[in-house]
Amino acid sequence: MGQKAYKLYDIATQKIFTNRDVVFLEDTFYHPPQVNPPAHNPPALPIPLPIVSDSYSHLPPSSVIIDPFDPPISSSPAPTDSVPSLSEPPSSTPLTPPAAQQTPVQLDDPVLPEPTLVIPDQPLHRSQCLREANVRLKDYVCSQVILPPHQLFSASSAPTPGTKYPLCHFISYNRYSPSHLCYIANVSRDKEPPSYELAMIDPKWQEAMNSELQALIDNQTWSLVPLPPGKRPISCKWVYRIKCKADGSVERYKTRLVARGFTQTAGIDYHDTFSPIAKMVTVRCLLAIAASLN
Amino acid sequence: MSPPPGLQRQGENVVCRLHKSLYDLKQASRQWFSKFTKVVLAAGFFQSKADYSLFIKRDDTSLTILLIYVDGILITGNKIESIKGLKQFLHTRFRIKDLGDLKFFLGIEIARSKKGIYISQRKYALEIIKDSGYLGAKPVEFPMEECRLSNTGELLKDPYIYQRLVGRLIYLTITRPDITYSVHILSRFMHEPRQPHMAAALRVVRYLKSAPGQGLLLHSNNSLHLRAFCDSDWAGCPVTRRSTTGYCVFLGNSLISWRTKRQKTVSLSSAEAEYRAMTGTCCELTWLRHLLTDLHMPISDPVTFHCDNQAALHIAKNPVFHKRTRHIEMDCHFIRDKILRGEIATQYVISSQQLADVFTKALGKKKFKQLMCKLGVIDIHSPN
């Protein structure tokens, strides 16, 4: 404990800083489930965290305890920095002081930011929610963790702050065979980006989109023309899928450009959509004939 | 179409004019079908008028038949070489995936043996049971009690669950004539489901549990002769007092077509109701004859038409004119014409031998099992 101050977490900017001038708003809560957190749960977010030491920020963010007998997960390091703890040596985590283990804040930035001054009376921005992705990611890592059986229920492993009954208390993956664990780890390692903006960040998806676009252009699917006056274009979007092999390893990153058919108007954008489908009687009839004629 | 993200250039107000179909366009399925049709017709196939998704190619010796269901294609024929050739040809044009022998098509499981082809929807039935939470329920022997479901009772809070369940059951009737009648009754209340309806629907699910793998056996060593059974109840629907048509059509010993349908108008006598049922069955038979002709299996002899109502048979055979039937004159002429042209031959069948009975009323356990056996409904998955 180097400083006599409170360590604060600004939800809006997701920064951690220290300040001595703190007002405790004990009668307002971030969201209702945090009113009575269970004993092992860390305090809710708006409550300032005790400072442990500057060096703890180099430790993994406390969410994972890796069983040394778990080969598959440690053999598949996470591709992004969002799950850094997977590749950490497993022994480091239990050494963490308990306070640090319960730190609910996931540190994306290993370097502690400089203490900044805030206006003391400024109320915390309660209307701005904590970013969901962060919380979800923590759950996601924890769900893959295999705890030794005795730790299963005393697990301080990865309860998301504010979760009263974390999922990791109810399911565990320790009965699966190593090959299946490998499969699970592989399958849930990559996520399919929900939007173009997120996919653009990743070069894999970029490349996949470029090749799909090139294929569409090569097929002469469209030609670029100026928009005729008074017309509305149909919108379109990219859909991303990861195609996996049987063992869960990635076969390819597939993108597909789909038109949003619901933006079309009947009579203007299209006229007939009827496409015949076989009657079931025909199917049965065909099979009956095939059976009788062998 | 507006240019996709990634293609946009700044300052240009251009759009993409589509020359080809793109995924999820409203007309994409139509485009695909027309393209497929063009290719297949160019390969010398003939498109059946009875079912437009059926394509037939006849050479001197070989007969190849192709059936398309959106993106699933079923190929059969009597020469293995021509089937292989067709696959090769389709592969050059569309890049198809050959799944080998037919085992699974549209959720229908298909098994073969020397006795014939067995079709069932075991997996689908199990999913329905599981999703209703009835995996542990006690099975029942027959799908519906003899009760008149009417529009009384407490309204369901969430009709969506009922609608979804019945919708799935409807798809299950593809291979299960045993639940056709019950599902038909249930689907009458789709718009306003009530508590008793849901209970009846869940009873069907419990019946499914007694034999989820139940299916239909299409026999080999079969004569290609059509037989039809038709029946109707009289004023069976308590809400509208309309009657219900039920019929089933056999090709040789294999059941190929069946239906339960509420008639469009109210009938004043049971003979009239039966007569309308005969008309409905006749329409189906006419279509089946066309289909079989297209499949190069023409039916030359008249279709045996079993009915258990003497009065209706009498009206069909003889050019009598009753005061009581003057309003169904059109139906009378329709069937008489068919008989005169030698397309159908009516035959009386006593009520206990009437196979279409199961499509018009809820039967008890004994009668139900007996009729199911005769329809060719068996369960190859059952332990005994």
Side-chain angles (χ1 to χ4, degrees), chain B residues 128 131-133 156-169 190 193 198 201-202 205:
Chain B
I128 294 178
D131 291 351
S132 336
L156 286 184
K157 280 199 193 82
D158 189 2
Y160 175 73
I161 300 173
Y162 179 85
Q163 287 159 356
R164 182 176 150 83
L165 175 62
V166 176
R168 298 178 83 183
L169 288 175
M190 282 291 235
M198 191 65 191
L202 290 174
V205 176

Side-chain angles (χ1 to χ4, degrees), chain A residues 260-290:
Chain A
R260 299 166 115 177
F262 55 86
T263 57
Q264 291 176 279
T265 324
I268 297 170
D269 295 322
Y270 63 93
H271 301 281
D272 295 324
T273 59
F274 177 76
S275 169
I277 53 168
K279 291 183 188 63
M280 275 306 148
V281 179
T282 316
V283 176
R284 284 193 295 261
C285 196
L286 195 61
L287 287 174
I289 291 171

Side-chain angles (χ1 to χ4, degrees), chain A residues 196-197 200 209-210 212-214 216-228 231-240 252 254-266 268-294, chain B residues 1-7 9 13-27 29-30 33 50-54 65-70 74 76 102 105-106 108 110 114 116-117 119 171 173-175 216 218-222 224 251 254-258 284 287-288 291-292 295 297:
Chain A
Y196 173 75
E197 285 74 24
M200 264 320 271
M209 278 192 290
N210 282 338
E212 173 75 10
L213 212 53
Q214 198 54 51
L216 284 170
I217 291 167
D218 288 347
N219 278 336
Q220 297 176 338
T221 311
W222 61 61
S223 55
L224 289 171
V225 291
L227 182 66
K231 294 284 165 96
R232 224 157 31 104
I234 306 160
S235 60
C236 60
K237 74 181 256 192
W238 288 98
V239 176
Y240 306 94
R252 71 196 182 99
K254 184 172 183 177
T255 63
R256 180 172 275 180
L257 185 70
V258 298
R260 299 166 115 177
F262 55 86
T263 57
Q264 291 176 279
T265 324
I268 297 170
D269 295 322
Y270 63 93
H271 301 281
D272 295 324
T273 59
F274 177 76
S275 169
I277 53 168
K279 291 183 188 63
M280 275 306 148
V281 179
T282 316
V283 176
R284 284 193 295 261
C285 196
L286 195 61
L287 287 174
I289 291 171
S292 58
L293 300 180
N294 287 319
Chain B
M1 188 186 70
S2 54
L7 200 74
R9 273 167 253 157
N13 187 20
V14 291
V15 287
C16 297
R17 187 191 160 86
L18 289 177
H19 300 302
K20 290 186 180 168
S21 188
L22 213 57
Y23 288 97
D24 224 25
L25 278 183
K26 289 264 195 222
Q27 59 269 58
S29 51
R30 186 185 177 87
F33 187 78
D51 191 336
Y52 276 80
S53 52
L54 190 68
I65 300 166
L66 186 150
L67 187 77
I68 175 167
Y69 196 99
V70 190
L74 203 70
T76 184
L102 189 61
F105 184 67
L106 304 174
I108 305 172
I110 294 142
K114 278 193 182 140
I117 295 181
I119 55 175
Y171 192 68
T173 56
I174 290 175
T175 61
L216 210 54
L218 306 170
H219 295 266
S220 55
N221 63 23
N222 211 347
L224 290 175
L251 182 68
S254 324
L255 182 62
I256 53 166
S257 169
W258 63 86
E284 174 76 8
W287 176 72
L288 274 173
L291 183 70
L292 288 169
L295 290 168
M297 319 269 163

